[in-house]
Amino acid sequence: MSRSLSGLGVSPGIAIGEPVVHEVRPISTLRITIPADDVEAEIERFRNAVKTAVEGIQENRDRAAQQMGEEYAAIFEAHQLIASDPSFTQPVEQVIREEEVNAGWAIDQVLEQLISKFEALPDEYLADRKADVVDVATQILAALHGLDLGQLEDLDRPVILVADDLPPSTAVQLPLDKMLGFALEMGGPTSHTTIIARSLGIPVIVGAHGACEQAKRSRRLALDASEGKIIFDPNPAEFSEYTSRQREYKERQASLFKMRALPTVTRDGRSIGLLANIDLPAEVEHALEWNVGGIGLYRSEFLYMKMSPKLPSEEEHIEVYRDMVSQMAPAPVTIRTFDLGGRKLAREVIGGPEANPVLGLRGIRLCFSQPDFFRTQLRALLRVAGEFDEGRVQIMFPLISCIEEFRVARLVAREINEEIRTEGHAIHANVPLGAMVEVPSAAVMAQELAREVDFMSIGTNDLIQYSLAVDRSNDLVADLYRPTSPAVLRLVANVIDAGKSEGVAVSMCGEMASDPLMVPVLVGLGLEKFSMNPQAIPVVRALVRQLSFREAAAIARQALKLITAREVEEYLLERLAFLLAKTKISV
Ligand code: PEP
Ligand code: MG
């Protein structure tokens, strides 16, 4: 019998394949009842975990023997014997079979009995062996638990990764070309792991509570992110249904791909710039495939995450930026200085955990508190800017919350530009410097900010998070994360208006820019540059081509009058349905 789970689909697509489980939370000892049909499979899972643990112990034994001498290897041999000793394994299997429970729970029960037996022994030496048994049991539990990051890095086959949490620092270490899909218990629509997956076309479901436990007992999964459903061990009918859905999805993508060369203009002739958001340099290739007008956001912090705990040197920065800018020629590339902190771990840089990191030392604040690391990156950026035509490299500062912050960043950049000029490097005197507008205080002060900056880019992922006080990575509040909130809409409109009245370019690089529901209202508000994950470009292009600016402006005027997120959502849905009826695309 197949089982299923629902979650929130946040990156589209359908995946069918073998699951691997990766858990970071403490090993659970919850008692889970297993259906009678699955008992034998659970015993098999326990036996496999024992085998994996014995192999792991063997590896540790060999390493210890090599590094410290054969005499130290004996302890590991004893551990191997314990792991496969029937006086341990048989009672575990018996508990699983008789009580119809999960292997983890059964191990815990047997372990408890063994510990009390050991403790009752008069011989202190034997009583101390208790520690060995606990150690071995922990290794078997860890093997039951799924793969650790090291094992994941070495994966040699395509899999669906099922994890309790997958922070971006872990996601970037994965062999992403082997990832058919992600089923995550935590996460949200704009968490960075989701964003990376979306731009690589990896389907993702978040908020799938219990997926790890279920996946550990499954050989195959079908994951459909458009309906937010995961089927564990699909039966033959389900398997063929999901296979044909997958085929249809791929056909739809292929037909969108054919439209990539069409210009992005509204029916009444307004040109809209579509740019790419890039997290990993490898994505530049996708951006080029989808025919983008440049890179609107390169999240350079992923360079750090890939190299962590080492900090990239000036030359390492330069190599990555130079490659990216040449590949995109002649289109411009906007590189954001490190936006570390928050969920993008930066422990090596900041030194310790914070109680509330999303409101802590993040983005430009962290750059200021670590002048050396900020300077290294700015030197590299300004040197690369000097190697290309003026305007090809634009520098953007993250998490600007007040005008002084931008002024300080600009001052540092100017000083560094002068410094590299005196060293004999080519420079441009006026490399465009811009601010991310992603903190409500900056959006409110957009008019004054616009007088200081060369460009602004609206980061709606954080703007929504901070203005609605909803953690963007927390699936428990994912339903409160509303891009259609009238408060958010008004902040966005304020920034676009400020840019217009001060003659400063405004783009949007948050996920809102690629949301088909929001595209008509954004065009209507006067936004002319949309930056998004390259995979989203064809749908947005097709939508813009169906719109007239006049129509869009009317949509924006009406949307701004509405006072609840639900009203805005219903209104925009109705307009979108009307537009889609005129196209052959589905979203
Ligand atoms: C944003 O906040 O909208 C944004 C584009 O930046 P990031 O997602 O990297 O925080
Ligand atoms: Mg942001």
Side-chain angles (χ1 to χ4, degrees):
M1 193 191 62
S2 64
R3 299 161 300 231
S4 68
L5 256 185
S6 293
L8 182 66
V10 289
S11 172
I14 292 157
I16 301 168
E18 176 201 343
V20 299
V21 178
H22 172 66
E23 282 180 291
V24 288
R25 66 185 160 204
I27 293 172
S28 104
T29 48
L30 289 181
R31 185 182 202 279
I32 296 167
T33 309
I34 306 282
D37 285 357
D38 288 353
V39 162
E40 287 313 312
E42 189 65 5
I43 289 175
E44 193 54 33
R45 204 165 75 78
F46 167 64
R47 290 180 184 161
N48 286 338
V50 169
K51 207 165 135 246
T52 309
V54 169
E55 285 164 7
I57 297 169
Q58 179 69 35
E59 279 171 25
N60 290 341
R61 182 218 164 275
D62 294 346
R63 207 170 301 130
Q66 206 180 21
Q67 289 170 359
M68 298 181 288
E70 279 294 331
E71 64 274 27
Y72 288 93
I75 179 75
F76 295 97
E77 283 155 17
H79 280 191
Q80 280 181 315
L81 290 176
I82 296 171
S84 42
D85 189 337
S87 63
F88 172 65
T89 57
Q90 275 174 7
V92 173
E93 292 186 14
Q94 197 179 348
V95 173
I96 298 174
R97 191 169 283 123
E98 287 174 5
E99 298 185 27
E100 296 181 355
V101 287
N102 55 318
W105 173 262
I107 292 173
D108 263 11
Q109 302 314 296
V110 172
L111 188 62
E112 234 172 71
Q113 289 166 12
L114 282 174
I115 288 175
S116 41
K117 274 190 200 156
F118 274 119
E119 282 172 347
L121 290 173
D123 181 330
E124 215 169 274
Y125 172 80
L126 278 179
D128 278 352
R129 291 311 96 217
K130 173 182 91 175
D132 293 330
V133 178
V134 171
D135 192 353
V136 168
T138 309
Q139 295 186 58
I140 299 174
L141 281 169
L144 264 181
H145 208 52
L147 302 187
D148 65 26
L149 182 56
Q151 292 165 300
L152 286 175
E153 278 175 42
D154 295 336
L155 265 181
D156 56 356
R157 58 193 191 282
V159 296
I160 297 178
L161 185 71
V162 184
D164 50 354
D165 189 15
L166 188 64
S169 48
T170 305
V172 293
Q173 310 292 341
L174 297 174
L176 292 164
D177 56 334
K178 302 276 180 344
M179 298 291 133
L180 298 171
F182 292 153
L184 309 179
E185 300 200 1
M186 286 168 68
T190 61
S191 64
H192 285 95
T193 299
T194 301
I195 292 174
I196 298 175
R198 213 180 273 146
S199 84
L200 293 173
I202 301 172
V204 182
I205 292 181
V206 298
H209 296 280
C212 289
E213 277 309 317
Q214 298 256 33
K216 286 178 203 164
R217 296 197 297 279
S218 310
R219 292 211 178 97
R220 183 146 65 180
L221 299 193
L223 176 155
D224 183 346
S226 46
E227 64 168 4
K229 197 163 174 185
I230 308 164
I231 313 263
F232 298 85
D233 286 328
N235 62 33
E238 288 164 334
F239 181 74
S240 80
E241 184 192 331
Y242 281 85
T243 311
S244 76
R245 283 196 208 179
Q246 190 180 43
R247 194 174 46 242
E248 280 165 26
Y249 179 79
K250 287 186 176 157
E251 281 166 8
R252 205 160 58 235
Q253 288 297 99
S255 75
L256 282 170
F257 188 67
K258 289 195 194 121
M259 294 169 59
R260 70 191 182 285
L262 297 176
T264 316
V265 274
T266 61
R267 285 192 285 117
D268 45 1
R270 179 172 280 234
S271 216
I272 299 291
L274 298 186
L275 300 112
N277 288 352
I278 301 288
D279 297 348
L280 309 170
E283 291 169 56
V284 173
E285 250 172 64
H286 295 269
L288 289 166
E289 271 173 26
W290 292 104
N291 182 25
V292 299
I295 292 177
L297 167 66
Y298 169 47
R299 290 184 169 95
S300 67
E301 58 273 13
F302 284 94
L303 176 64
Y304 163 80
M305 286 191 210
K306 269 218 96 84
M307 298 181 72
S308 164
K310 192 175 150 267
L311 275 167
S313 67
E314 184 172 325
E315 293 306 322
E316 283 163 334
H317 275 289
I318 287 182
E319 209 175 300
V320 173
Y321 305 149
R322 186 189 283 140
D323 257 17
M324 193 173 283
V325 181
S326 347
Q327 272 180 286
M328 288 308 296
V333 173
T334 303
I335 300 174
R336 179 173 75 183
T337 57
F338 282 165
D339 180 20
L340 286 163
R343 287 269 296 172
K344 299 177 212 170
L345 286 184
R347 204 154 291 144
E348 293 80 5
V349 185
I350 52 181
E354 294 171 281
N356 207 345
V358 175
L359 298 180
L361 214 46
R362 191 198 148 178
I364 196 73
R365 305 167 185 181
L366 182 63
C367 291
F368 289 162
S369 79
Q370 304 284 331
D372 287 348
F373 112 133
F374 189 39
R375 283 179 63 80
T376 304
Q377 185 174 29
L378 276 178
R379 278 184 58 87
L381 284 168
L382 290 162
R383 279 181 58 190
V384 174
E387 291 177 13
F388 294 88
D389 290 345
E390 193 158 34
R392 291 280 309 284
V393 174
Q394 311 201 357
I395 301 175
M396 179 154 80
F397 301 113
L399 214 79
I400 294 290
S401 62
C402 59
I403 285 163
E404 297 95 303
E405 270 171 350
F406 182 78
R407 287 184 183 156
V408 173
R410 184 178 54 196
L411 193 69
V412 177
R414 284 185 180 157
E415 278 173 11
I416 292 177
N417 215 22
E418 186 50 28
E419 173 184 293
I420 61 178
R421 188 186 65 78
T422 54
E423 288 169 12
H425 298 289
I427 62 148
H428 290 300
N430 294 308
V431 176
L433 301 177
M436 289 279 299
V437 180
E438 52 183 346
V439 180
S441 53
V444 169
M445 298 295 287
Q447 185 85 33
E448 290 75 7
L449 186 61
R451 293 189 191 122
E452 312 255 343
V453 299
D454 295 316
F455 65 94
M456 299 190 284
S457 188
I458 309 174
T460 51
N461 305 339
D462 279 312
L463 189 60
I464 298 172
Q465 154 164 281
Y466 292 125
S467 52
L468 302 183
V470 176
D471 179 348
R472 61 194 269 190
S473 301
N474 183 344
D475 69 284
L476 299 176
V477 287
D479 58 333
L480 299 178
Y481 188 94
R482 316 274 298 260
T484 50
S485 147
V488 172
L489 213 54
R490 288 177 195 196
L491 288 175
V492 167
N494 191 47
V495 183
I496 298 172
D497 287 348
K500 289 241 169 308
S501 69
E502 296 299 327
V504 162
V506 175
S507 65
M508 178 179 283
C509 59
E511 294 295 294
M512 186 191 279
S514 60
D515 183 347
L517 193 65
M518 304 303 291
V519 169
V521 65
L522 293 173
V523 170
L525 288 172
L527 188 70
E528 290 173 9
K529 277 193 192 173
F530 292 62
S531 191
M532 64 196 73
N533 82 77
Q535 308 273 347
I537 283 194
V539 169
V540 174
R541 180 175 283 137
L543 254 183
V544 169
R545 289 172 56 81
Q546 278 310 315
L547 273 175
S548 82
F549 177 66
R550 248 166 46 98
E551 215 170 51
I555 293 176
R557 270 195 304 277
Q558 178 59 23
L560 280 175
K561 286 187 195 147
L562 304 173
I563 58 167
T564 69
R566 172 180 261 213
E567 281 168 15
V568 176
E569 199 167 300
E570 281 172 359
Y571 172 64
L572 295 180
L573 265 173
E574 180 246 310
R575 298 319 301 163
L576 181 66
F578 177 74
L579 282 165
L580 290 181
K582 296 195 278 177
T583 68
K584 290 199 182 57
I585 51 170
S586 51
V587 291

